[in-house]
Amino acid sequence: MCGIIGCVGREDETLDVLVHGLSKLEYRGYDSAGVALSGERVDVCKKSGKIEDLKEALESRSIGGAAGIGHTRWSTHGPPTDANAHPHLDCSGDVAVVHNGIIENYQSLRDELVAAGHTFKSDTDTEVVPHLVEDALADGLDNEGAVREAISRLEGSYAVAVVVSGDDTIYAARNDSPLVLGIDDADEESDPAYYLASDVPAFRDFTDRVVYLADGEFATLSADGWRVSDVDGDTVDKDVDTVDWDPEETGKSGYDHFMLKEIHEQPRAIRQCLRGRVDEMAATVDIGDLGDLSPTGVQFVACGTSYHAALYGAQLLQNAGIPAQAFLASEYATSPPPIGDALVVGVTQSGETADTLSALREARKRGARTLAVTNTVGSTVARECDHALYIRAGPEIGVAASKTFASQLAALNLFTLGTTRVDGTRDIIGALRDLPSNIQAILDDSQAEAVAETYVDSDAYFFIGRGLQYPVALEGALKMKEITYKHAEGFAAGELKHGPLALVTEDTPVFAVVTGDGEMARKTIGNVKEVEARDAPVVAVTDGQSDVERYADHVLEVPETHPQAAAVLANVQLQLVSYYVADELGRSIDKPRNLAKSVTVE
């Protein structure tokens, strides 16, 4: 979704801090960007396009102020134009607003404001907010009261930040859209400074102390301090947490793209996920901080890549004898199945995915226990669910998920082993322990780049797998779609002959994930023979235990391991293929068109 940054207390450095924060948030929204600084007046500069376009526009401007807000936009209402870029102003130019989310009643508010004489300059829903503040100020309210009054009129999801001329304060509020404060109190070397953002990377270079706002909370930040209050204006005591990752983790570290860096970070991410939770000698998994869940049934809710992880998790539990299903969160939220006494598990790397939150809230309304599987400490899903299992992947900047997916799969193995009785637990734990070194072996020796060069001009790409490899096939296709803009589809291998085979030609390579030498491998090889007979090139992702190589044009090898870990390894090869195809095509790999990292609107 869009990105927000705010800063007070940095004096002449305010603009530099905002632009730096926007560059860190560009993965969240990148079709336009802008800043507003408040001093004696409000100065605004905004521009459609990338952050670099905004920087260029700022070179010819002289703007300043002690308080400032900035925004990177991902269009929802109105196309990406200069006029639709944030911040938005009121008629007088004294109130500037940035906003993430969707204001559902904006049209009725806009009609009301136009009838009262207000003039609008954009197509956005956001622009109603500064005009509402302007009206409230005209009615005699002070700045904070006027912003509160405006916020009270809004329906929908929002994270809003406001500055007013002549006031060195940022006013902010949230509802179903994330906001976090950065706290940098005074010390012997510097004055206090305070930050506001939709995500921690925006200000992590300046402070590691954070305060997460909850829905319905209102924040004020000035050089004199910060305060969080509720809808009635009463002060809310908030914990100040410490971020446990280094700001260097949000840099490229010499890689051409964040995505490639994050693919290569998967060994470390999985080590972090497993650390302190696995005792190989005792063959036990300790996720005791979740309490005694002992699920008799599980319903997963998730979207996109996380949905593929949920499908994988459901199969793990089914194999352990626990009834489990994975649902698309957007469908579950509007048409939930009977829940009974099932544990409802939301899988979301950001912890802010709107559809997943809606599904979990619906489940809680029906009396279900809930668990969040997420990467983000302090996120909405972590606060609202009864329990939270953190995947510990570290910050992920590339829009297309890579290391977070691998960490989700590892965490779902821990969840299954920690809450059920599973045959062969010692073997699974050993395979999980070996995942980092096995992934590193793939990264060192993969032939994915050569495969990508061979098939970069293909008409479409198909991915097939069975069992635990089926979610990997779906994820492989999604990665190809996301970053190459090429048509790609993932199928359960047995479904090929029920329709998709009609699409197979000599110009549609089929990536077949085949591990082990059991019945599923043999059946998938049968499907490989079907596409081979129709002259489709075959790329086998295999551990060499079967004879699928005999029928393949290319082979991407993975180390031999337990079937549950084999899925994680196969996924790495498919990630690399998609990356190199996208790189050959010159795509915007870290910021693919029309997509955003965290989807916080339904």
PDB file of all heavy atoms in Angstrom, residues 320-349:
ATOM      1  N   ALA A 320      -0.595 -35.069   9.589  1.00  0.00           N
ATOM      2  CA  ALA A 320      -0.473 -35.385  11.015  1.00  0.00           C
ATOM      3  C   ALA A 320      -1.805 -35.830  11.616  1.00  0.00           C
ATOM      4  O   ALA A 320      -1.888 -36.047  12.834  1.00  0.00           O
ATOM      5  CB  ALA A 320       0.050 -34.170  11.763  1.00  0.00           C
ATOM      6  N   GLY A 321      -2.834 -35.937  10.782  1.00  0.00           N
ATOM      7  CA  GLY A 321      -4.125 -36.421  11.249  1.00  0.00           C
ATOM      8  C   GLY A 321      -5.064 -35.347  11.762  1.00  0.00           C
ATOM      9  O   GLY A 321      -6.098 -35.662  12.363  1.00  0.00           O
ATOM     10  N   ILE A 322      -4.743 -34.066  11.531  1.00  0.00           N
ATOM     11  CA  ILE A 322      -5.578 -32.956  11.988  1.00  0.00           C
ATOM     12  C   ILE A 322      -6.374 -32.407  10.804  1.00  0.00           C
ATOM     13  O   ILE A 322      -5.778 -32.007   9.796  1.00  0.00           O
ATOM     14  CB  ILE A 322      -4.732 -31.820  12.600  1.00  0.00           C
ATOM     15  CG1 ILE A 322      -3.884 -32.349  13.750  1.00  0.00           C
ATOM     16  CG2 ILE A 322      -5.620 -30.669  13.055  1.00  0.00           C
ATOM     17  CD1 ILE A 322      -4.671 -32.873  14.925  1.00  0.00           C
ATOM     18  N   PRO A 323      -7.693 -32.373  10.869  1.00  0.00           N
ATOM     19  CA  PRO A 323      -8.464 -31.765   9.779  1.00  0.00           C
ATOM     20  C   PRO A 323      -8.044 -30.301   9.593  1.00  0.00           C
ATOM     21  O   PRO A 323      -8.046 -29.520  10.547  1.00  0.00           O
ATOM     22  CB  PRO A 323      -9.918 -31.864  10.254  1.00  0.00           C
ATOM     23  CG  PRO A 323      -9.912 -32.965  11.276  1.00  0.00           C
ATOM     24  CD  PRO A 323      -8.564 -32.885  11.940  1.00  0.00           C
ATOM     25  N   ALA A 324      -7.651 -29.948   8.379  1.00  0.00           N
ATOM     26  CA  ALA A 324      -7.170 -28.595   8.127  1.00  0.00           C
ATOM     27  C   ALA A 324      -7.508 -28.182   6.711  1.00  0.00           C
ATOM     28  O   ALA A 324      -7.470 -28.999   5.782  1.00  0.00           O
ATOM     29  CB  ALA A 324      -5.654 -28.503   8.343  1.00  0.00           C
ATOM     30  N   GLN A 325      -7.843 -26.916   6.557  1.00  0.00           N
ATOM     31  CA  GLN A 325      -8.166 -26.352   5.251  1.00  0.00           C
ATOM     32  C   GLN A 325      -7.541 -24.970   5.144  1.00  0.00           C
ATOM     33  O   GLN A 325      -7.363 -24.274   6.144  1.00  0.00           O
ATOM     34  CB  GLN A 325      -9.681 -26.210   5.059  1.00  0.00           C
ATOM     35  CG  GLN A 325     -10.454 -27.517   5.044  1.00  0.00           C
ATOM     36  CD  GLN A 325     -11.953 -27.245   5.079  1.00  0.00           C
ATOM     37  OE1 GLN A 325     -12.503 -26.977   6.145  1.00  0.00           O
ATOM     38  NE2 GLN A 325     -12.593 -27.300   3.927  1.00  0.00           N
ATOM     39  N   ALA A 326      -7.239 -24.572   3.903  1.00  0.00           N
ATOM     40  CA  ALA A 326      -6.745 -23.222   3.634  1.00  0.00           C
ATOM     41  C   ALA A 326      -7.787 -22.478   2.811  1.00  0.00           C
ATOM     42  O   ALA A 326      -8.322 -23.017   1.837  1.00  0.00           O
ATOM     43  CB  ALA A 326      -5.420 -23.267   2.890  1.00  0.00           C
ATOM     44  N   PHE A 327      -8.077 -21.253   3.209  1.00  0.00           N
ATOM     45  CA  PHE A 327      -9.083 -20.435   2.535  1.00  0.00           C
ATOM     46  C   PHE A 327      -8.460 -19.122   2.087  1.00  0.00           C
ATOM     47  O   PHE A 327      -7.614 -18.545   2.790  1.00  0.00           O
ATOM     48  CB  PHE A 327     -10.253 -20.114   3.479  1.00  0.00           C
ATOM     49  CG  PHE A 327     -11.026 -21.310   3.935  1.00  0.00           C
ATOM     50  CD1 PHE A 327     -10.641 -21.997   5.086  1.00  0.00           C
ATOM     51  CD2 PHE A 327     -12.135 -21.753   3.233  1.00  0.00           C
ATOM     52  CE1 PHE A 327     -11.349 -23.095   5.527  1.00  0.00           C
ATOM     53  CE2 PHE A 327     -12.855 -22.863   3.667  1.00  0.00           C
ATOM     54  CZ  PHE A 327     -12.465 -23.536   4.813  1.00  0.00           C
ATOM     55  N   LEU A 328      -8.887 -18.647   0.934  1.00  0.00           N
ATOM     56  CA  LEU A 328      -8.556 -17.285   0.549  1.00  0.00           C
ATOM     57  C   LEU A 328      -9.268 -16.348   1.507  1.00  0.00           C
ATOM     58  O   LEU A 328     -10.480 -16.418   1.676  1.00  0.00           O
ATOM     59  CB  LEU A 328      -8.983 -17.010  -0.891  1.00  0.00           C
ATOM     60  CG  LEU A 328      -8.171 -17.729  -1.968  1.00  0.00           C
ATOM     61  CD1 LEU A 328      -8.888 -17.649  -3.304  1.00  0.00           C
ATOM     62  CD2 LEU A 328      -6.774 -17.121  -2.068  1.00  0.00           C
ATOM     63  N   ALA A 329      -8.519 -15.459   2.120  1.00  0.00           N
ATOM     64  CA  ALA A 329      -9.090 -14.615   3.170  1.00  0.00           C
ATOM     65  C   ALA A 329     -10.231 -13.753   2.655  1.00  0.00           C
ATOM     66  O   ALA A 329     -11.209 -13.517   3.368  1.00  0.00           O
ATOM     67  CB  ALA A 329      -7.999 -13.728   3.772  1.00  0.00           C
ATOM     68  N   SER A 330     -10.138 -13.276   1.415  1.00  0.00           N
ATOM     69  CA  SER A 330     -11.191 -12.416   0.875  1.00  0.00           C
ATOM     70  C   SER A 330     -12.511 -13.156   0.747  1.00  0.00           C
ATOM     71  O   SER A 330     -13.583 -12.563   0.904  1.00  0.00           O
ATOM     72  CB  SER A 330     -10.767 -11.860  -0.482  1.00  0.00           C
ATOM     73  OG  SER A 330     -10.449 -12.912  -1.383  1.00  0.00           O
ATOM     74  N   GLU A 331     -12.453 -14.461   0.473  1.00  0.00           N
ATOM     75  CA  GLU A 331     -13.672 -15.270   0.389  1.00  0.00           C
ATOM     76  C   GLU A 331     -14.177 -15.638   1.777  1.00  0.00           C
ATOM     77  O   GLU A 331     -15.383 -15.624   2.042  1.00  0.00           O
ATOM     78  CB  GLU A 331     -13.393 -16.533  -0.436  1.00  0.00           C
ATOM     79  CG  GLU A 331     -13.095 -16.270  -1.895  1.00  0.00           C
ATOM     80  CD  GLU A 331     -14.291 -15.680  -2.620  1.00  0.00           C
ATOM     81  OE1 GLU A 331     -15.416 -16.199  -2.472  1.00  0.00           O
ATOM     82  OE2 GLU A 331     -14.120 -14.660  -3.323  1.00  0.00           O
ATOM     83  N   TYR A 332     -13.255 -15.979   2.661  1.00  0.00           N
ATOM     84  CA  TYR A 332     -13.619 -16.369   4.010  1.00  0.00           C
ATOM     85  C   TYR A 332     -14.322 -15.234   4.742  1.00  0.00           C
ATOM     86  O   TYR A 332     -15.299 -15.444   5.464  1.00  0.00           O
ATOM     87  CB  TYR A 332     -12.355 -16.769   4.765  1.00  0.00           C
ATOM     88  CG  TYR A 332     -12.571 -17.408   6.115  1.00  0.00           C
ATOM     89  CD1 TYR A 332     -12.484 -18.791   6.257  1.00  0.00           C
ATOM     90  CD2 TYR A 332     -12.824 -16.651   7.261  1.00  0.00           C
ATOM     91  CE1 TYR A 332     -12.643 -19.394   7.499  1.00  0.00           C
ATOM     92  CE2 TYR A 332     -12.991 -17.242   8.502  1.00  0.00           C
ATOM     93  CZ  TYR A 332     -12.899 -18.615   8.614  1.00  0.00           C
ATOM     94  OH  TYR A 332     -13.079 -19.210   9.840  1.00  0.00           O
ATOM     95  N   ALA A 333     -13.832 -14.007   4.537  1.00  0.00           N
ATOM     96  CA  ALA A 333     -14.384 -12.866   5.262  1.00  0.00           C
ATOM     97  C   ALA A 333     -15.836 -12.611   4.923  1.00  0.00           C
ATOM     98  O   ALA A 333     -16.624 -12.182   5.775  1.00  0.00           O
ATOM     99  CB  ALA A 333     -13.560 -11.610   4.960  1.00  0.00           C
ATOM    100  N   THR A 334     -16.214 -12.879   3.664  1.00  0.00           N
ATOM    101  CA  THR A 334     -17.589 -12.607   3.234  1.00  0.00           C
ATOM    102  C   THR A 334     -18.476 -13.838   3.276  1.00  0.00           C
ATOM    103  O   THR A 334     -19.703 -13.710   3.313  1.00  0.00           O
ATOM    104  CB  THR A 334     -17.593 -12.035   1.803  1.00  0.00           C
ATOM    105  OG1 THR A 334     -16.889 -12.929   0.925  1.00  0.00           O
ATOM    106  CG2 THR A 334     -16.900 -10.676   1.772  1.00  0.00           C
ATOM    107  N   SER A 335     -17.881 -15.025   3.275  1.00  0.00           N
ATOM    108  CA  SER A 335     -18.680 -16.250   3.309  1.00  0.00           C
ATOM    109  C   SER A 335     -17.950 -17.324   4.104  1.00  0.00           C
ATOM    110  O   SER A 335     -17.477 -18.321   3.554  1.00  0.00           O
ATOM    111  CB  SER A 335     -18.947 -16.735   1.874  1.00  0.00           C
ATOM    112  OG  SER A 335     -19.788 -17.873   1.869  1.00  0.00           O
ATOM    113  N   PRO A 336     -17.830 -17.133   5.421  1.00  0.00           N
ATOM    114  CA  PRO A 336     -17.057 -18.079   6.226  1.00  0.00           C
ATOM    115  C   PRO A 336     -17.747 -19.435   6.330  1.00  0.00           C
ATOM    116  O   PRO A 336     -18.972 -19.512   6.395  1.00  0.00           O
ATOM    117  CB  PRO A 336     -16.980 -17.392   7.593  1.00  0.00           C
ATOM    118  CG  PRO A 336     -18.175 -16.497   7.637  1.00  0.00           C
ATOM    119  CD  PRO A 336     -18.389 -16.033   6.226  1.00  0.00           C
ATOM    120  N   PRO A 337     -16.967 -20.505   6.357  1.00  0.00           N
ATOM    121  CA  PRO A 337     -17.534 -21.849   6.540  1.00  0.00           C
ATOM    122  C   PRO A 337     -17.860 -22.074   8.013  1.00  0.00           C
ATOM    123  O   PRO A 337     -17.489 -21.258   8.866  1.00  0.00           O
ATOM    124  CB  PRO A 337     -16.383 -22.745   6.103  1.00  0.00           C
ATOM    125  CG  PRO A 337     -15.168 -21.972   6.501  1.00  0.00           C
ATOM    126  CD  PRO A 337     -15.519 -20.530   6.244  1.00  0.00           C
ATOM    127  N   PRO A 338     -18.544 -23.148   8.320  1.00  0.00           N
ATOM    128  CA  PRO A 338     -18.724 -23.491   9.743  1.00  0.00           C
ATOM    129  C   PRO A 338     -17.363 -23.642  10.417  1.00  0.00           C
ATOM    130  O   PRO A 338     -16.460 -24.262   9.873  1.00  0.00           O
ATOM    131  CB  PRO A 338     -19.471 -24.829   9.685  1.00  0.00           C
ATOM    132  CG  PRO A 338     -20.146 -24.831   8.353  1.00  0.00           C
ATOM    133  CD  PRO A 338     -19.222 -24.106   7.432  1.00  0.00           C
ATOM    134  N   ILE A 339     -17.227 -23.045  11.588  1.00  0.00           N
ATOM    135  CA  ILE A 339     -15.927 -23.035  12.258  1.00  0.00           C
ATOM    136  C   ILE A 339     -15.844 -24.100  13.351  1.00  0.00           C
ATOM    137  O   ILE A 339     -14.818 -24.745  13.530  1.00  0.00           O
ATOM    138  CB  ILE A 339     -15.647 -21.643  12.853  1.00  0.00           C
ATOM    139  CG1 ILE A 339     -15.543 -20.608  11.737  1.00  0.00           C
ATOM    140  CG2 ILE A 339     -14.354 -21.659  13.670  1.00  0.00           C
ATOM    141  CD1 ILE A 339     -15.377 -19.181  12.231  1.00  0.00           C
ATOM    142  N   GLY A 340     -16.944 -24.305  14.071  1.00  0.00           N
ATOM    143  CA  GLY A 340     -16.901 -25.255  15.178  1.00  0.00           C
ATOM    144  C   GLY A 340     -15.847 -24.865  16.181  1.00  0.00           C
ATOM    145  O   GLY A 340     -15.750 -23.703  16.582  1.00  0.00           O
ATOM    146  N   ASP A 341     -15.002 -25.821  16.586  1.00  0.00           N
ATOM    147  CA  ASP A 341     -13.942 -25.517  17.554  1.00  0.00           C
ATOM    148  C   ASP A 341     -12.581 -25.404  16.881  1.00  0.00           C
ATOM    149  O   ASP A 341     -11.539 -25.548  17.523  1.00  0.00           O
ATOM    150  CB  ASP A 341     -13.901 -26.575  18.653  1.00  0.00           C
ATOM    151  CG  ASP A 341     -13.625 -27.979  18.125  1.00  0.00           C
ATOM    152  OD1 ASP A 341     -13.574 -28.152  16.885  1.00  0.00           O
ATOM    153  OD2 ASP A 341     -13.445 -28.898  18.949  1.00  0.00           O
ATOM    154  N   ALA A 342     -12.568 -25.143  15.575  1.00  0.00           N
ATOM    155  CA  ALA A 342     -11.302 -25.047  14.847  1.00  0.00           C
ATOM    156  C   ALA A 342     -10.505 -23.823  15.293  1.00  0.00           C
ATOM    157  O   ALA A 342     -11.062 -22.778  15.644  1.00  0.00           O
ATOM    158  CB  ALA A 342     -11.560 -24.975  13.348  1.00  0.00           C
ATOM    159  N   LEU A 343      -9.198 -23.948  15.263  1.00  0.00           N
ATOM    160  CA  LEU A 343      -8.296 -22.823  15.429  1.00  0.00           C
ATOM    161  C   LEU A 343      -8.169 -22.134  14.076  1.00  0.00           C
ATOM    162  O   LEU A 343      -7.901 -22.786  13.065  1.00  0.00           O
ATOM    163  CB  LEU A 343      -6.922 -23.320  15.896  1.00  0.00           C
ATOM    164  CG  LEU A 343      -5.799 -22.282  15.990  1.00  0.00           C
ATOM    165  CD1 LEU A 343      -6.044 -21.322  17.144  1.00  0.00           C
ATOM    166  CD2 LEU A 343      -4.447 -22.982  16.141  1.00  0.00           C
ATOM    167  N   VAL A 344      -8.363 -20.837  14.031  1.00  0.00           N
ATOM    168  CA  VAL A 344      -8.251 -20.097  12.780  1.00  0.00           C
ATOM    169  C   VAL A 344      -6.900 -19.400  12.757  1.00  0.00           C
ATOM    170  O   VAL A 344      -6.574 -18.611  13.651  1.00  0.00           O
ATOM    171  CB  VAL A 344      -9.399 -19.087  12.611  1.00  0.00           C
ATOM    172  CG1 VAL A 344      -9.248 -18.327  11.286  1.00  0.00           C
ATOM    173  CG2 VAL A 344     -10.748 -19.817  12.639  1.00  0.00           C
ATOM    174  N   VAL A 345      -6.102 -19.701  11.730  1.00  0.00           N
ATOM    175  CA  VAL A 345      -4.728 -19.220  11.631  1.00  0.00           C
ATOM    176  C   VAL A 345      -4.619 -18.259  10.453  1.00  0.00           C
ATOM    177  O   VAL A 345      -4.881 -18.633   9.306  1.00  0.00           O
ATOM    178  CB  VAL A 345      -3.743 -20.387  11.438  1.00  0.00           C
ATOM    179  CG1 VAL A 345      -2.316 -19.865  11.303  1.00  0.00           C
ATOM    180  CG2 VAL A 345      -3.859 -21.383  12.588  1.00  0.00           C
ATOM    181  N   GLY A 346      -4.239 -17.022  10.739  1.00  0.00           N
ATOM    182  CA  GLY A 346      -4.008 -16.041   9.692  1.00  0.00           C
ATOM    183  C   GLY A 346      -2.534 -15.978   9.351  1.00  0.00           C
ATOM    184  O   GLY A 346      -1.700 -15.753  10.220  1.00  0.00           O
ATOM    185  N   VAL A 347      -2.225 -16.198   8.087  1.00  0.00           N
ATOM    186  CA  VAL A 347      -0.844 -16.141   7.620  1.00  0.00           C
ATOM    187  C   VAL A 347      -0.672 -14.849   6.824  1.00  0.00           C
ATOM    188  O   VAL A 347      -1.324 -14.662   5.796  1.00  0.00           O
ATOM    189  CB  VAL A 347      -0.484 -17.356   6.748  1.00  0.00           C
ATOM    190  CG1 VAL A 347       1.004 -17.342   6.401  1.00  0.00           C
ATOM    191  CG2 VAL A 347      -0.846 -18.656   7.459  1.00  0.00           C
ATOM    192  N   THR A 348       0.169 -13.938   7.298  1.00  0.00           N
ATOM    193  CA  THR A 348       0.376 -12.650   6.652  1.00  0.00           C
ATOM    194  C   THR A 348       1.735 -12.118   7.027  1.00  0.00           C
ATOM    195  O   THR A 348       1.996 -11.899   8.221  1.00  0.00           O
ATOM    196  CB  THR A 348      -0.723 -11.630   7.023  1.00  0.00           C
ATOM    197  OG1 THR A 348      -0.265 -10.289   6.764  1.00  0.00           O
ATOM    198  CG2 THR A 348      -1.131 -11.728   8.474  1.00  0.00           C
ATOM    199  N   GLN A 349       2.605 -11.914   6.030  1.00  0.00           N
ATOM    200  CA  GLN A 349       3.960 -11.475   6.378  1.00  0.00           C
ATOM    201  C   GLN A 349       3.958 -10.092   7.016  1.00  0.00           C
ATOM    202  O   GLN A 349       4.676  -9.835   7.965  1.00  0.00           O
ATOM    203  CB  GLN A 349       4.885 -11.533   5.147  1.00  0.00           C
ATOM    204  CG  GLN A 349       4.567 -10.555   4.033  1.00  0.00           C
ATOM    205  CD  GLN A 349       5.221  -9.207   4.198  1.00  0.00           C
ATOM    206  OE1 GLN A 349       6.161  -9.051   4.962  1.00  0.00           O
ATOM    207  NE2 GLN A 349       4.720  -8.220   3.484  1.00  0.00           N
TER     208      GLN A 349
END
